[in-house]
Amino acid sequence: MSRTYYIAGNWKMHKTRAEAAELAKALVSQLKGGKHRYLVAPSFTLIETVAPIVKGSNIRLGAQNMACEEQGAHTGEVSVFQLKDLGVQTVILGHSERRHNYKEDDALINKKLKLALKHGLEVILCIGELLEEREAGKAEQVCETQLVKGLEGVSAAELANIVIAYEPVWAIGTGKTATPEDADAIHAFVRKLIGKLYGADAAEKIIIQYGGSVKPDNAAQLMAKENIDGALVGGAALKPDTFVPIALFG
Ligand code: 13P
């Protein structure tokens, strides 16, 4: 496979500054020389602490969300400029917890995504179906809608700054991982769709991470699959003992 594996830790709403600094330092030292691509995405309040620790290392700095406007009267939101000012390079958008618990829809996610690209941030666009949607045989349809609407108005050149994360909602934080075969089937579907929208070269190049209960004991099997190019890790990203073996697999 010509694509580089990309393994990202989404720290969600965990850790204080001291704890975040400790984790970031451990990761910088233990992932040194690691051959894949890495990212950590701490909470907004931790970014300034983590930024100087990961600077100059092989770990990119990410944020977990971003406002859809550049500035103004948006109480509680954080802007693209504020993220860039802290050294953020990547933003996770459309996470299922944003979609389902905070009611972010595809149009909003698309607006955020285009704003992030306009200002040179890399975007990890998350897609994925609910359990009832999978059981109703609608997993592909849901992912297609989220992908097509999320990428509306994005050019082929801009796509180079986008990573897709397939995170089946029923596998997030539940300990239930999709089987490598089931995950790969959706990844293959997503890659084909990217091919239809942007051409064969774009499809070959796009990085598609899997997320949902990725652990040291299942990561290698998942990423051995043809279309699984990395992982977006939640719970197991909170400790070096569990994140490092995932990040250094292979
Ligand atoms: P878990 O690894 O805890 O299931 O979380 C996955 C996830 O949502 C990463 O964004």
Side-chain angles (χ1 to χ4, degrees), residues 8-12 92 95-97 126 165 167-169 171-176 210-215 231-238:
N10 173 7
W11 295 0
K12 306 195 180 181
I92 298 172
H95 192 279
S96 71
E97 286 146 22
C126 303
E167 299 204 309
V169 182
I172 296 177
T174 57
K176 282 186 212 156
Y210 169 79
S213 298
V214 175
K215 308 287 177 210
L232 183 52
V233 185
L238 297 174

Side-chain angles (χ1 to χ4, degrees), residues 4-7 33-38 58 223 246-250:
T4 303
Y5 285 108
Y6 189 4
I7 295 148
K35 57 186 175 182
H36 309 309
R37 207 164 169 239
Y38 306 116
N58 59 350
M223 288 188 275
I246 297 171
L248 294 182
F249 94 98

Side-chain angles (χ1 to χ4, degrees), residues 15-196:
K15 303 205 178 282
T16 61
R17 285 175 299 167
E19 291 163 350
E22 189 185 330
L23 175 57
K25 280 180 199 160
L27 295 180
V28 166
S29 103
Q30 294 178 46
L31 296 185
K32 201 171 173 180
K35 57 186 175 182
H36 309 309
R37 207 164 169 239
Y38 306 116
L39 171 123
V40 291
S43 298
F44 294 133
T45 58
L46 306 174
I47 292 174
E48 194 167 7
T49 302
V50 171
I53 299 171
V54 298
K55 194 172 180 183
S57 77
N58 59 350
I59 304 177
R60 293 173 68 85
L61 183 61
Q64 299 171 17
N65 193 16
M66 193 194 89
C68 70
E69 300 286 350
E70 289 181 342
Q71 59 183 341
H74 298 284
T75 303
E77 293 288 306
V78 176
S79 80
V80 63
F81 296 125
Q82 292 167 331
L83 295 180
K84 287 190 69 177
D85 188 38
L86 295 175
V88 167
Q89 299 159 295
T90 302
V91 61
I92 298 172
L93 294 175
H95 192 279
S96 71
E97 286 146 22
R98 300 301 319 170
R99 291 178 188 269
H100 298 292
N101 304 344
Y102 296 94
K103 310 294 172 218
E104 292 197 11
D105 62 15
D106 289 311
L108 178 68
I109 294 161
N110 176 251
K111 196 170 172 191
K112 293 180 178 195
L113 179 140
K114 285 192 287 198
L115 187 62
L117 292 176
K118 177 182 164 195
H119 292 288
L121 290 183
E122 175 183 78
V123 173
I124 298 180
L125 172 64
C126 303
I127 60 170
E129 80 287 356
L130 298 163
L131 182 59
E132 55 264 38
E133 292 166 336
R134 169 155 289 257
E135 285 173 345
K138 290 186 177 156
E140 290 188 352
Q141 190 186 318
V142 169
C143 291
E144 176 165 353
T145 302
Q146 292 176 350
L147 194 70
V148 170
K149 292 192 172 177
L151 294 178
E152 210 173 280
V154 171
S155 70
E158 288 172 323
L159 193 75
N161 249 345
I162 293 183
V163 170
I164 307 295
Y166 169 57
E167 299 204 309
V169 182
W170 47 271
I172 296 177
T174 57
K176 282 186 212 156
T177 326
T179 63
E181 291 69 28
D182 283 348
D184 193 52
I186 296 286
H187 283 231
F189 172 77
V190 167
R191 197 176 302 286
K192 210 166 137 195
L193 194 57
I194 292 290
K196 258 194 247 166

